[in-house]
């Protein structure tokens, strides 16, 4: 009886194997469907932190919302032609900086110049790609100059209009230079047009720095007026009682403190001042007005490019208007 019972049970289990598998598959599908719907409901909820595996005691890390937001920010950034041009500019001056460091190390150790030549070729190709991305930028600069004519402040109106006009001329010369380097205009004097474009670029940067100086002066006057209305009235008798040199030193110290406070309280103005100051080195060196090392030019170009990328990623850091 025991053998017959065992054989019967084995036959029944073998015959019902498909049924058991079907039952288990249906159970797993039901569990998976409920879990999947739970993910969908949690992801659809605004500000959801209740995603499976995203609780405070979970070991699987944050949910999929944060990477999605990062990806969306990157897509918005890369969709802008100015952002792509800034990335190529940062890569170009990074190659220049690395080439200068490699050249210096090669001169000291006698290393081969294969890597240096590749960096120089990459820098030239990146520069040509930037010129391609700047095609048509002169029309945009002219539109910005037209809009700046309606500013109420006469100093800002003059500086911004003149800066946009010089930038439009610089981009127009840069477009002609791109046509000459690509072979569209084979008989073009590239050195002449390069000098001309850098000259307009230098004028635009000088006007931009003048605008930054005007902004700093206005903010310093406001800070000085606020200081006179505040606790600084107690220090005036001491300034009048001391000698002329001591009085000048204290006045200079107060002005420096006010300047640092103004720049610290206005990050867009500080970033614009640093970016224009770094950019100023490039046309000065290209025009032969200020001799500097290629490594220093590459460092200034890379720094200004990174600052420009920051203003694109965070628009509140851009100086307005």
């Amino acid at each position: 009886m025991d053998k017959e019972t065992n054989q019967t049970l084995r036959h029944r289990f073998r015959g019902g194997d498909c049924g058991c598998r079907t039952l288990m598959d249906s159970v797993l599908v039901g569990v998976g469907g409920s879990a999947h719907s739970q993910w969908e409901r949690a992801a659809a909820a605004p500000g959801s932190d209740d995603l499976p595996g995203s609780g405070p005691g979970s070991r699987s890390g944050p949910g999929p919302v944060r990477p999605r937001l990062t990806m969306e920010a990157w897509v918005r950034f890369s969709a802008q032609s100015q952002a792509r041009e800034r990335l190529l500019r940062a890569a170009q001056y990074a190659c220049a900086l690395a080439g200068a460091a490699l050249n210096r190390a090669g001169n000291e150790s006698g290393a081969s110049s294969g890597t240096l030549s590749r960096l120089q070729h990459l820098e030239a190709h990146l520069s040509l790609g930037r010129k391609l991305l700047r095609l048509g930028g002169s029309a945009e600069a002219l539109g910005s100059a037209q809009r700046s004519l309606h500013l109420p402040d006469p100093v800002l109106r003059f500086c911004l209009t003149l800066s946009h006009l010089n930038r439009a001329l610089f981009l127009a010369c840069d477009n002609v230079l791109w046509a000459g380097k690509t072979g569209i205009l084979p008989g073009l004097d590239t050195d002449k047009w390069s000098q001309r474009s850098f000259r307009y670029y230098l004028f635009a940067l000088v006007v931009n720095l003048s605008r930054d100086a005007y902004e700093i002066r206005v903010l310093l006057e406001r800070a000085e007026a606020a200081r006179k209305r505040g606790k600084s009235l107690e220090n005036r008798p001491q300034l009048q009682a001391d000698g002329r040199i001591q009085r000048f030193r204290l006045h200079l110290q107060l002005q420096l403190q006010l300047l640092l406070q103004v720049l610290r309280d206005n990050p867009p103005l500080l970033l614009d001042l640093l970016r224009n100051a770094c950019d100023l080195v490039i046309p000065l060196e290209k025009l032969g007005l200020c001799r500097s090392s290629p490594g220093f030019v590459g460092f200034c170009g890379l720094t200004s490019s990174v600052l420009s990328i920051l203003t694109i990623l965070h628009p509140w850091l851009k100086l307005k208007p």
Side-chain angles (χ1 to χ4, degrees):
M1 289 296 293
D2 294 337
K3 293 181 178 180
E4 293 178 358
T5 304
N6 291 335
Q7 290 178 359
T8 304
L9 290 175
R10 288 176 183 176
H11 178 71
R12 287 180 180 178
F13 277 116
R14 288 175 183 175
D17 191 18
C18 296
C20 292
R21 289 182 180 178
T22 305
L23 179 61
M24 290 299 296
D25 291 339
S26 62
V27 170
L28 290 176
V29 168
V31 173
S34 62
H36 184 68
S37 61
Q38 182 183 0
W39 274 90
E40 289 182 347
R41 288 194 301 269
S48 174
D49 292 327
D50 298 328
L51 295 175
S54 63
S58 174
R59 296 183 182 179
S60 59
V65 177
R66 191 167 299 174
R68 189 188 309 165
L69 293 177
T70 305
M71 192 63 185
E72 290 177 358
W74 168 252
V75 168
R76 287 196 301 267
F77 175 78
S78 59
Q80 306 178 42
S81 60
Q82 184 183 4
R84 294 194 296 269
E85 193 270 336
R86 293 290 102 176
L87 285 176
L88 290 182
R89 188 176 191 266
Q92 175 190 348
Y93 284 107
C95 289
L97 181 60
L102 190 62
N103 188 20
R104 183 176 180 180
N107 291 334
E108 293 178 357
S109 60
S112 61
S113 60
T115 307
L116 181 60
S117 63
R118 285 194 292 269
L119 283 175
Q120 290 175 352
H121 281 93
L122 179 58
E123 181 185 355
H125 286 299
L126 289 172
S127 176
L128 200 61
R130 288 180 54 215
K131 295 180 187 302
L132 178 61
L133 289 176
R134 288 200 297 258
L135 287 176
S138 56
E140 183 181 356
L142 288 175
S144 300
Q146 185 179 4
R147 289 191 298 270
S148 63
L149 288 173
H150 304 285
L151 293 175
D153 194 318
V155 178
L156 288 180
R157 182 169 62 244
F158 173 78
C159 290
L160 289 177
T161 304
L162 190 59
S163 173
H164 289 312
L165 288 177
N166 279 283
R167 179 169 176 79
L169 293 173
F170 157 69
L171 291 174
C173 295
D174 194 68
N175 295 338
V176 175
L177 189 61
W178 172 82
K181 287 188 175 183
T182 53
I184 299 176
L185 299 176
L188 185 71
D189 189 356
T190 56
D191 293 335
K192 177 182 177 181
W193 281 94
S194 178
Q195 294 288 314
R196 189 174 297 173
S197 65
F198 278 115
R199 195 175 297 115
Y200 288 125
Y201 185 38
L202 177 62
F203 291 159
L205 289 175
V206 169
V207 176
N208 288 338
L209 287 172
S210 302
R211 180 261 179 101
D212 292 337
Y214 173 73
E215 294 274 3
I216 291 174
R217 180 194 169 193
V218 171
L219 293 175
L220 282 177
E221 289 178 354
R222 293 177 183 175
E224 182 72 19
R227 185 180 66 86
K228 287 181 179 179
R229 290 193 302 265
K231 299 179 181 180
S232 62
L233 292 175
E234 300 175 359
N235 297 329
R236 291 179 62 89
Q238 182 180 359
L239 289 175
Q240 294 177 358
D242 294 334
R244 181 179 302 177
I245 299 178
Q246 185 70 15
R247 201 168 30 185
F248 175 75
R249 184 181 302 173
L250 290 175
H251 178 73
L252 186 62
Q253 184 179 0
L254 288 176
Q255 290 298 319
L256 182 60
Q257 291 177 356
L258 284 177
L259 177 62
L260 294 177
Q261 180 182 356
V262 163
L263 294 177
R264 184 185 58 188
D265 296 338
N266 296 272
L269 180 58
L270 176 61
L271 261 66
D272 193 74
L273 180 63
L274 291 176
R275 183 171 58 88
N276 290 325
C278 290
D279 283 337
L280 189 65
V281 178
I282 300 172
L284 287 177
E285 199 275 335
K286 295 295 183 180
L287 295 173
L289 300 176
C290 179
R291 294 297 179 183
S292 56
S293 64
F296 183 69
V297 174
F299 173 76
C300 291
L302 180 60
T303 303
S304 63
S305 301
V306 171
L307 294 178
S308 299
I309 291 173
L310 284 178
T311 58
I312 297 174
L313 289 174
H314 305 285
W316 66 274
L317 289 175
K318 186 176 182 180
L319 187 61
K320 299 176 182 179

